[in-house]
Amino acid sequence: MESGAAIKHRKSGENSVVVDGYPRVVDGDTLVFEEEAGGKERVRLAGIDAPESNQMCVDKYGNEYDCGAKSKAYLESKIGQNSVSCHASKRDRYSRMLGTCYNDRTGEELNEAMVRNGEAVAYHQFSESYDDGEKRAKKGRQ
């Protein structure tokens, strides 16, 4: 199914909303759910920080690489053609929903997968949820 499919918002608990659909990946920590009627919902994967889509990085050997495109491609690969559900309870200063997102077919949490595989870092300022995954990713790259 394509990203133009209808977005479903539903309540989950007192202050939580679930957004379901087929998102477009903006970068390694941002999804956009678009409706055929033109509406859209931007969701920032909560508790993580990934490179911007056009960001370049330097590896441990001093070689520059396109880490933004790599991170985006990894998130796209984790979603595939599957629908995604994002559970959110608040918005950031850019009006994006802050959510914990899941691949609906596999059940895999996308936020944690991004950190565990070194494509994003734990956003320590806002959450400690992904600290262990970040430590495992760093240990695996040594």
Side-chain angles (χ1 to χ4, degrees):
M1 187 138 200
E2 298 182 17
S3 65
I7 304 167
K8 293 188 293 183
H9 288 82
R10 56 187 160 91
K11 289 281 187 187
S12 171
E14 280 189 36
N15 297 317
S16 184
V17 173
V18 178
V19 179
D20 296 307
Y22 296 85
R24 175 174 56 86
V25 176
V26 175
D27 57 28
D29 59 19
T30 306
L31 303 174
V32 175
F33 293 82
E34 298 176 354
E35 293 180 324
E36 291 176 9
K40 53 172 100 168
E41 187 71 73
R42 294 177 69 84
V43 179
R44 165 75 189 254
L45 277 61
I48 72 169
D49 191 27
E52 299 303 316
S53 57
N54 61 352
Q55 185 173 336
M56 299 298 287
C57 296
V58 177
D59 68 17
K60 64 182 178 182
Y61 304 106
N63 300 314
E64 192 173 68
Y65 71 101
D66 194 348
C67 58
K70 184 175 178 287
S71 179
K72 177 182 177 183
Y74 185 78
L75 182 55
E76 289 171 333
S77 77
K78 297 310 289 179
I79 294 171
Q81 297 298 312
N82 303 310
S83 64
V84 171
S85 297
C86 295
H87 302 251
S89 59
K90 61 183 175 179
R91 292 185 181 272
D92 67 9
R93 63 183 175 176
Y94 303 108
S95 296
R96 296 176 296 191
M97 294 184 94
L98 296 172
T100 303
C101 300
Y102 300 87
N103 178 314
D104 288 334
R105 186 181 65 76
T106 66
E108 182 174 30
E109 184 190 320
L110 300 172
N111 309 45
E112 198 273 331
M114 292 297 290
V115 173
R116 183 183 67 238
N117 289 285
E119 299 301 335
V121 295
Y123 208 161
H124 304 286
Q125 180 180 352
F126 297 105
S127 173
E128 295 178 7
S129 298
Y130 305 106
D131 290 357
D132 289 341
E134 184 178 67
K135 288 175 187 169
R136 285 193 303 272
K138 285 180 181 177
K139 189 174 184 176
R141 289 182 182 234
Q142 293 176 350

